[in-house]
Amino acid sequence: AQTVTQSQPEMSVQEAETVTLSCTYDTSENNYYLFWYKQPPSRQMILVIRQEAYKQQNATENRFSVNFQKAAKSFSLKISDSQLGDTAMYFCAFIDTQGGSEKLVFGKGTKLTVNP
Amino acid sequence: DADVTQTPRNRITKTGKRIMLECSQTKGHDRMYWYRQDPGLGLRLIYYSFDVKDINKGEISDGYSVSRQAQAKFSLSLESAIPNQTALYFCATRATGQGGTEAFFGQGTRLTVV
């Protein structure tokens, strides 16, 4: 079974600085997708960024970028120029596209606090 | 209007009661999911459905049942609620056949069983 591990339950960063959230996953599949979701206090789940496993280039969305290491099964999220509005729970998620299961599996989350 | 709508937003119920959480979507997606979120445990999959006739158990389906009444509607039932089912519940949808498409979530239902 696929698993997703986020080893940092909580993190904090000063406003305007950079922070990296870690995520590792376990799968025997070759084609799959990885996501980072943000959950602010409003509890809405918001997609931050998406990575396709067959693409070597790391995905980037404005201040958010990933470091995707397929061989190491690692998918970390880097937030640059942190803003107060980045304070939220962040979830790493995985979905495989072979075998038809299409289960979307989440990690346990990292609570990020951005301090002024 | 939200693309994925969950009702109710909040609910308090008594132990032993039957309760249904409803989810409807206007996105035209055929994949629908129910998750449960608990502090420190992330989101865990309860059930998921590929279409009206294709429903699958997730990792924590015991104590829950689902009904896919139409492509746009996917309901989660607790036949006899117990306190450890107190949690935040999310419905999500995805588009067909494209593994890379993200899930779209409802705003969640906070359920408290007393």
Side-chain angles (χ1 to χ4, degrees):
Chain A
Q2 290 87 358
T3 58
V4 176
T5 301
Q6 295 179 247
S7 59
Q8 306 149 315
E10 295 190 37
M11 295 190 72
S12 63
V13 64
Q14 292 299 121
E15 196 174 6
E17 295 190 343
T18 296
V19 63
T20 299
L21 280 56
S22 300
C23 173
T24 58
Y25 57 94
D26 186 24
T27 182
S28 58
E29 303 296 340
N30 195 45
N31 292 326
Y32 51 88
Y33 295 80
L34 295 156
F35 308 91
W36 279 98
Y37 280 87
K38 169 185 178 180
Q39 186 183 43
S42 66
R43 83 191 192 197
Q44 182 66 42
M45 294 289 288
I46 302 165
L47 178 71
V48 175
I49 202 164
R50 171 176 61 209
Q51 176 76 43
E52 299 163 67
Y54 64 87
K55 288 188 176 180
Q56 293 186 338
Q57 186 173 5
N58 290 323
T60 299
E61 290 288 342
N62 300 315
R63 298 183 294 107
F64 299 87
S65 62
V66 298
N67 182 5
F68 174 50
Q69 301 289 330
K70 189 173 183 179
K73 297 180 181 176
S74 172
F75 183 60
S76 60
L77 175 69
K78 185 172 80 172
I79 305 174
S80 303
D81 186 24
S82 297
Q83 300 176 359
L84 297 178
D86 295 333
T87 292
M89 284 291 294
Y90 288 82
F91 293 99
C92 180
F94 164 99
I95 189 167
D96 76 74
T97 55
Q98 292 181 331
S101 72
E102 292 193 43
K103 290 182 183 179
L104 182 60
V105 179
F106 285 83
K108 293 182 178 181
T110 296
K111 182 179 181 181
L112 176 67
T113 302
V114 180
N115 298 308
Chain B
D1 288 342
D3 293 323
V4 184
T5 302
Q6 290 184 234
T7 55
R9 290 291 310 278
N10 299 282
R11 179 75 181 267
I12 300 174
T13 192
K14 293 184 178 181
T15 298
K17 292 291 187 181
R18 183 180 188 275
I19 183 170
M20 178 181 290
L21 309 183
E22 298 185 340
C23 177
S24 63
Q25 51 120 344
T26 58
K27 299 192 73 67
H29 293 167
D30 58 355
R31 268 61 171 162
M32 296 189 75
Y33 302 77
W34 274 105
Y35 287 91
R36 164 179 176 158
Q37 183 180 1
D38 299 276
L41 297 179
L43 278 75
R44 294 181 291 167
L45 183 61
I46 306 172
Y47 273 95
Y48 60 110
S49 171
F50 288 172
D51 63 36
V52 174
K53 296 181 180 179
D54 187 351
I55 294 177
N56 306 277
K57 291 183 177 181
E59 59 182 307
I60 56 164
S61 60
D62 287 349
Y64 302 95
S65 63
V66 290
S67 173
R68 186 84 183 263
Q69 301 96 323
Q71 187 194 39
K73 295 184 183 294
F74 191 38
S75 300
L76 176 72
S77 293
L78 287 67
E79 296 301 325
S80 180
I82 56 177
N84 76 1
Q85 291 177 313
T86 293
L88 182 58
Y89 290 84
F90 282 102
C91 174
T93 72
R94 281 184 62 246
T96 301
Q98 298 177 41
T101 56
E102 69 269 27
F104 294 84
F105 285 81
Q107 291 186 297
T109 296
R110 185 166 297 283
L111 177 66
T112 303
V113 183
V114 297

mmCIF file of all heavy atoms in Angstrom, chain A residues 2 10 19 27 81 84 108:
data_model
loop_
_atom_site.group_PDB
_atom_site.id
_atom_site.type_symbol
_atom_site.label_atom_id
_atom_site.label_comp_id
_atom_site.label_asym_id
_atom_site.label_seq_id
_atom_site.Cartn_x
_atom_site.Cartn_y
_atom_site.Cartn_z
ATOM 1 N N GLN A 2 0.374 2.246 -0.708
ATOM 2 C CA GLN A 2 1.121 3.498 -0.746
ATOM 3 C C GLN A 2 0.996 4.226 0.580
ATOM 4 O O GLN A 2 -0.067 4.233 1.198
ATOM 5 C CB GLN A 2 0.597 4.397 -1.866
ATOM 6 C CG GLN A 2 0.920 3.883 -3.254
ATOM 7 C CD GLN A 2 -0.101 2.920 -3.792
ATOM 8 O OE1 GLN A 2 -1.070 2.602 -3.097
ATOM 9 N NE2 GLN A 2 0.103 2.437 -4.992
ATOM 10 N N GLU A 10 5.113 20.139 13.306
ATOM 11 C CA GLU A 10 4.979 21.587 13.406
ATOM 12 C C GLU A 10 6.267 22.265 12.994
ATOM 13 O O GLU A 10 7.363 21.755 13.237
ATOM 14 C CB GLU A 10 4.631 22.009 14.839
ATOM 15 C CG GLU A 10 3.289 21.549 15.327
ATOM 16 C CD GLU A 10 2.898 22.204 16.641
ATOM 17 O OE1 GLU A 10 3.214 23.385 16.829
ATOM 18 O OE2 GLU A 10 2.270 21.521 17.475
ATOM 19 N N VAL A 19 11.196 28.554 4.107
ATOM 20 C CA VAL A 19 11.005 27.341 4.912
ATOM 21 C C VAL A 19 10.779 26.173 3.964
ATOM 22 O O VAL A 19 10.203 26.335 2.879
ATOM 23 C CB VAL A 19 9.814 27.512 5.880
ATOM 24 C CG1 VAL A 19 8.502 27.706 5.134
ATOM 25 C CG2 VAL A 19 9.721 26.356 6.850
ATOM 26 N N THR A 27 5.994 3.760 -2.758
ATOM 27 C CA THR A 27 5.190 3.156 -3.797
ATOM 28 C C THR A 27 6.062 2.294 -4.678
ATOM 29 O O THR A 27 7.262 2.544 -4.793
ATOM 30 C CB THR A 27 4.485 4.223 -4.664
ATOM 31 O OG1 THR A 27 3.666 3.565 -5.632
ATOM 32 C CG2 THR A 27 5.503 5.114 -5.374
ATOM 33 N N ASP A 81 9.994 33.756 0.800
ATOM 34 C CA ASP A 81 9.366 35.024 1.188
ATOM 35 C C ASP A 81 8.058 34.762 1.940
ATOM 36 O O ASP A 81 6.986 35.247 1.558
ATOM 37 C CB ASP A 81 9.120 35.885 -0.055
ATOM 38 C CG ASP A 81 8.618 37.270 0.263
ATOM 39 O OD1 ASP A 81 8.876 37.760 1.386
ATOM 40 O OD2 ASP A 81 7.943 37.869 -0.595
ATOM 41 N N LEU A 84 2.349 36.057 6.278
ATOM 42 C CA LEU A 84 1.473 35.670 7.387
ATOM 43 C C LEU A 84 0.333 34.775 6.903
ATOM 44 O O LEU A 84 -0.111 33.874 7.612
ATOM 45 C CB LEU A 84 0.929 36.916 8.081
ATOM 46 C CG LEU A 84 1.974 37.814 8.753
ATOM 47 C CD1 LEU A 84 1.303 39.037 9.364
ATOM 48 C CD2 LEU A 84 2.752 37.062 9.826
ATOM 49 N N LYS A 108 0.171 13.049 7.309
ATOM 50 C CA LYS A 108 -0.508 13.506 8.517
ATOM 51 C C LYS A 108 -0.480 15.021 8.680
ATOM 52 O O LYS A 108 -1.142 15.559 9.564
ATOM 53 C CB LYS A 108 0.109 12.839 9.752
ATOM 54 C CG LYS A 108 -0.140 11.339 9.780
ATOM 55 C CD LYS A 108 0.427 10.688 11.035
ATOM 56 C CE LYS A 108 0.096 9.186 11.036
ATOM 57 N NZ LYS A 108 0.602 8.520 12.252
#
